[in-house]
Amino acid sequence: MKNCIRALRAEREWSQTDLAGALGVSRQTVNAIENGRYDPSLPLAFAIARVFGLRIEEIFEDA
């Protein structure tokens, strides 16, 4: 699954650690999601969308 989390995070000047803290996950989890090595659970995908103020469809797309 492709995503634009890295770009969204960069726009806000957040580190992976900042985003991980907001989501309650590890920095390694954020890194794995950004690099497409891990697809987040639906609750985590909703949390990511909520943190960025976007819809899930605006962040993730089926590869």
Side-chain angles (χ1 to χ4, degrees):
M1 180 177 306
K2 292 186 176 187
N3 68 73
C4 60
I5 294 173
R6 180 176 284 127
L8 292 168
R9 191 173 52 72
E11 287 173 6
R12 290 158 177 80
E13 298 182 357
W14 293 349
S15 67
Q16 288 181 340
T17 303
D18 294 334
L19 180 55
L23 296 171
V25 299
S26 70
R27 184 201 58 79
Q28 290 85 353
T29 298
V30 171
N31 182 274
I33 293 169
E34 284 185 355
N35 290 303
R37 292 189 316 268
Y38 173 72
D39 289 336
S41 64
L42 193 53
L44 181 52
F46 273 109
I48 293 167
R50 198 168 28 256
V51 164
F52 288 115
L54 299 169
R55 296 186 330 241
I56 290 176
E57 297 86 2
E58 295 174 292
I59 299 172
F60 298 96
E61 68 177 67
D62 196 16

